[in-house]
Amino acid sequence: LEALLVQGDLSKLNTTEKLEYYLNVCESLGLNPTTTPFCYIRLNNKLTLYATKSCTDQLRRIYGVSVTSCVASLVEGIYCIVATGSDKTGRTDTEMGAVAMGKLQGEAKANAMMKAQTKAKRRLTLSLCGLGMLDETEVETIPNAVTTKPEVAHGVIEHNVDVSEL
């Protein structure tokens, strides 16, 4: 438990403890665990959670996160989007998403531009909700990162534990 709280490392927990932690995080944020709002990433010899699209979509709805502007720029081959927004309490924040454009053209270039916007919006959402964690668009770009999904399916999570009974 100390490794988790002090170092943010889930790897020292057994499967039951990981499940309990996962469900507690979901419950504290009002997230539905059966939609897999988080996955695991092993990074720098630590196992930690990262947010999936399901997480940020649910957080935007629950906490009334609105993106009020997205400003694009191209800086030395890096396409940047600065997203500004607020939550339902009126708290505001700004976050950036960026992707290297290189020699991308056509559809690949368009997809990279959309990815930068997605990154910015998700980072904004996590920041406004007080979650200092990676989201899946960031995880994709980390070399040698090992990701795994929790065993969540049809309301049953690892070892056939029914979420409604917890």
Side-chain angles (χ1 to χ4, degrees), residues 3 38 65 82 124 134 161:
F38 302 104
V65 173
V82 176
L124 175 67
L134 296 172
V161 176

Side-chain angles (χ1 to χ4, degrees), residues 32-61:
N32 179 351
T34 61
T35 63
T36 319
F38 302 104
C39 287
Y40 298 110
I41 183 170
R42 183 166 299 282
L43 196 56
N44 300 325
N45 293 320
K46 291 182 186 177
L47 184 68
T48 187
L49 295 176
Y50 70 89
T52 66
K53 178 183 186 310
S54 172
C55 177
T56 53
D57 286 353
Q58 289 180 64
L59 288 172
R60 284 186 72 185
R61 179 182 48 81

Side-chain angles (χ1 to χ4, degrees), residues 46-92:
K46 291 182 186 177
L47 184 68
T48 187
L49 295 176
Y50 70 89
T52 66
K53 178 183 186 310
S54 172
C55 177
T56 53
D57 286 353
Q58 289 180 64
L59 288 172
R60 284 186 72 185
R61 179 182 48 81
I62 293 166
Y63 295 97
V65 173
S66 295
V67 178
T68 55
S69 75
C70 285
V71 178
S73 62
L74 188 62
V75 181
E76 297 180 18
I78 306 293
Y79 184 74
C80 304
I81 296 279
V82 176
T84 302
S86 61
D87 65 13
K88 63 185 174 188
T89 70
R91 182 170 171 249
T92 62

Side-chain angles (χ1 to χ4, degrees), residues 5-6 13 26 30 40 57 64 67 79 129 132 146 149 156 160 165:
L5 295 176
V6 176
L13 303 179
C26 288
Y40 298 110
D57 286 353
V67 178
Y79 184 74
C129 294
V146 178
K149 289 185 177 185
V156 179
N160 296 321
E165 294 175 4

